[in-house]
Amino acid sequence: EVQKVDLNAKTVTISEIDPITDTEEKKEILVEDATIFSGVKSLRDIRKDDNVTVEAQYDEPTDVWKAVSVEVAEAGA
């Protein structure tokens, strides 16, 4: 679930339930020009509380999660 979208920083903050600890975790994910979008055209079309699936890779040198793809579930799907 999307918590926050920051167009200036090109990040999306999502929350998910950790299946092991059953606690909510928040992650800030960097959206790059190479990020593939499904269901929306760009980061600008993502809203707080949208349900999204993000495939991300951790970039160790910069300590940042980078989005490979972002899929927004269709309304009513």
Side-chain angles (χ1 to χ4, degrees), residues 32-58:
E32 301 180 290
D33 292 338
T35 302
I36 299 165
F37 289 93
S38 178
V40 291
K41 289 189 172 90
S42 70
L43 183 62
R44 191 176 301 277
D45 300 320
I46 298 173
R47 302 283 178 252
K48 184 179 183 317
D49 297 327
D50 278 353
N51 283 317
V52 296
T53 302
V54 178
E55 181 184 344
Q57 290 182 326
Y58 181 66

Side-chain angles (χ1 to χ4, degrees), residues 10-75:
K10 293 188 175 178
T11 60
V12 60
T13 303
I14 60 168
S15 66
E16 62 183 355
I17 302 297
D18 185 301
I20 297 167
T21 63
D22 202 34
T23 57
E24 184 180 57
E25 294 184 347
K26 290 185 180 178
K27 284 195 174 65
E28 187 175 80
I29 299 170
L30 179 65
V31 176
E32 301 180 290
D33 292 338
T35 302
I36 299 165
F37 289 93
S38 178
V40 291
K41 289 189 172 90
S42 70
L43 183 62
R44 191 176 301 277
D45 300 320
I46 298 173
R47 302 283 178 252
K48 184 179 183 317
D49 297 327
D50 278 353
N51 283 317
V52 296
T53 302
V54 178
E55 181 184 344
Q57 290 182 326
Y58 181 66
D59 186 62
E60 209 167 313
T62 57
D63 189 33
V64 171
W65 283 94
K66 294 183 176 182
V68 176
S69 67
V70 178
E71 181 181 344
V72 178
E74 301 288 330

